[in-house]
Amino acid sequence: MERKATRRENECEEQNSNSDGSEQDKDYKTSLITLNVGGYLYITQKQTLTKYPDSFLEGIINGRIMCPFDADGHYFIDRDGLLFRHILNFLRNGELLLPEGFRENQLLAHEAEFFQLKVLSDAVKSRWEKEQLASRETTFLEITDSHDRSQGLRIFCNAPEFIAKIKSRIVLVSKSRLDGFPEEFSVSSNIIQFKYFIKSENGTRLVLKEDNTFVCTLETLKFEAIMMALKCGFRLLTSLDCSKGSIVHSDALHFIK
C-alpha cells in the first residue's frame, strides 16, 4: 500500500511539473508575435511591440486598434516591409541605428509618423537636417609641402565623407610606401603635409623621401581623386584655378553631386 501511495504521489508531482512546464511554454509562445508588413514577416516579442504606449503597434497588440489578418492568421500592416526593420530595431534598442550610407530618411520619417513613434520621428528628422546642412558645406583636403603651403593640390567637395575617403586613401598609400611613417608626413583634419615635396626637372611635382624613394606624382593623385569621385556619383566642376589651362596642371579640383 505504501509503495502504491508513493507511486501515485510521484505521478501527481510529474503531472504537476509537466503542467507547469506546458503553461510556461504556452505563455512564451503567446508572447511571440508575427507581423506581416507589406509582405515581409517579422517575429518579435509582445513586450517589444508594446514598448511605447499609445503607439500604433501597442494599440494593435492591446486591441485598441483593429488590424486585418493575412491568410496565415498573422497581423497584416500595409506599409513598407523593408523599412520596418529599422522601426523594429528602434523598438528593440531604444535608439536610432541606421546602416552607413542610409539615404531614405524622409521615407523612414513618414513610417515613424504612421506608427505613432514621435521619438523615432524626431530622431530621423534631426539626422536628416544634419545631413542636409553638411551637404551644403564645402569641405576641402589640402596635400602640400610642409615647407611651402603654396605648392600642392587642393580638393574641394560638398560631401565630407568623400573628402574623408580620399584622405584615407592617400594616407594608406603613403604609409605603405614610406617606411618612416609618420615622420615623413603629417596629417591634420584637412591637411596632409609631406616632409619632402620637391620639383623634378620636367616640372612635375613629386612626393619623395630624402633618399629619393618615389611615392607618387600630383598628377597621379588628381587622376585617382577624379576616378573615385566619378565612381561615387560626383561630377567635376570647372577647375578652381582656370589660369593653369587644364585639369592636369591645375592646383585645385572641385566635386559636387
Side-chain angles (χ1 to χ4, degrees):
M1 290 292 291
E2 290 180 359
R3 288 181 179 177
K4 290 182 179 179
T6 302
R7 184 179 300 170
R8 286 176 183 172
E9 290 175 358
N10 291 336
E11 289 176 353
C12 289
E13 289 178 359
E14 289 179 2
Q15 289 177 358
N16 290 333
S17 177
N18 291 335
S19 177
D20 293 340
S22 63
E23 287 297 326
Q24 290 177 356
D25 291 341
K26 185 177 179 181
D27 291 340
Y28 178 73
K29 289 178 180 179
T30 55
S31 71
L32 294 180
I33 306 293
T34 301
L35 300 175
N36 180 343
V37 184
Y40 290 82
L41 294 181
Y42 292 90
I43 301 176
T44 186
Q45 297 186 73
K46 180 178 179 181
Q47 64 189 41
T48 300
L49 299 176
T50 57
K51 185 173 183 179
Y52 288 88
D54 300 325
S55 68
F56 181 82
L57 294 170
E58 183 273 334
I60 288 177
I61 300 305
N62 290 330
R64 292 189 298 101
I65 299 176
M66 298 297 295
C67 181
F69 295 90
D70 64 11
D72 296 318
H74 307 313
Y75 290 108
F76 177 75
I77 303 175
D78 190 15
R79 300 300 296 184
D80 192 317
L82 286 174
L83 282 179
F84 186 74
R85 64 178 281 231
H86 304 303
I87 302 290
L88 193 54
N89 281 334
F90 174 78
L91 294 176
R92 289 166 174 161
N93 301 312
E95 60 179 319
L96 179 62
L97 299 172
L98 296 173
E100 183 178 352
F102 183 80
R103 288 291 181 269
E104 297 183 299
N105 294 298
Q106 189 173 6
L107 288 174
L108 184 56
H110 280 300
E111 294 301 296
E113 289 174 0
F114 172 83
F115 286 103
Q116 299 170 20
L117 294 167
K118 188 178 184 305
V119 177
L120 175 58
S121 178
D122 291 343
V124 175
K125 289 177 180 177
S126 176
R127 181 182 188 274
W128 187 17
E129 289 172 358
K130 288 179 180 178
E131 287 185 353
Q132 292 294 310
L133 181 62
S135 67
R136 291 193 293 269
E137 295 178 351
T138 299
T139 309
F140 75 94
L141 175 64
E142 183 177 323
I143 305 154
T144 186
D145 184 338
S146 60
H147 303 293
D148 183 3
R149 287 189 58 181
S150 66
Q151 304 294 333
L153 171 65
R154 290 162 187 80
I155 301 172
F156 296 83
C157 185
N158 65 338
E161 65 274 10
F162 177 67
I163 291 294
K165 187 174 183 179
I166 291 182
K167 177 181 175 182
S168 62
R169 172 64 179 165
I170 294 173
V171 170
L172 178 64
V173 171
S174 302
K175 182 178 179 180
S176 66
R177 296 181 183 179
L178 292 171
D179 297 332
F181 176 83
E183 295 178 359
E184 303 295 345
F185 70 98
S186 61
V187 181
S188 63
S189 58
N190 293 95
I191 300 175
I192 300 177
Q193 290 185 327
F194 286 90
K195 186 175 180 180
Y196 301 104
F197 197 50
I198 62 177
K199 195 171 185 178
S200 66
E201 292 180 0
N202 62 4
T204 303
R205 295 189 62 80
L206 303 175
V207 179
L208 302 173
K209 286 184 64 177
E210 190 172 16
D211 60 2
N212 290 332
T213 302
F214 174 78
V215 178
C216 63
T217 66
L218 277 180
E219 283 69 23
T220 301
L221 294 180
K222 293 174 189 176
F223 178 76
E224 183 155 1
I226 292 172
M227 294 304 296
M228 288 175 64
L230 294 178
K231 287 181 179 179
C232 293
F234 293 89
R235 57 191 176 90
L236 175 64
L237 296 183
T238 305
S239 166
L240 294 185
D241 187 358
C242 298
S243 63
K244 297 294 183 178
S246 70
I247 294 175
V248 174
H249 298 99
S250 67
D251 293 334
L253 301 173
H254 192 175
F255 301 106
I256 193 170
K257 271 194 176 178

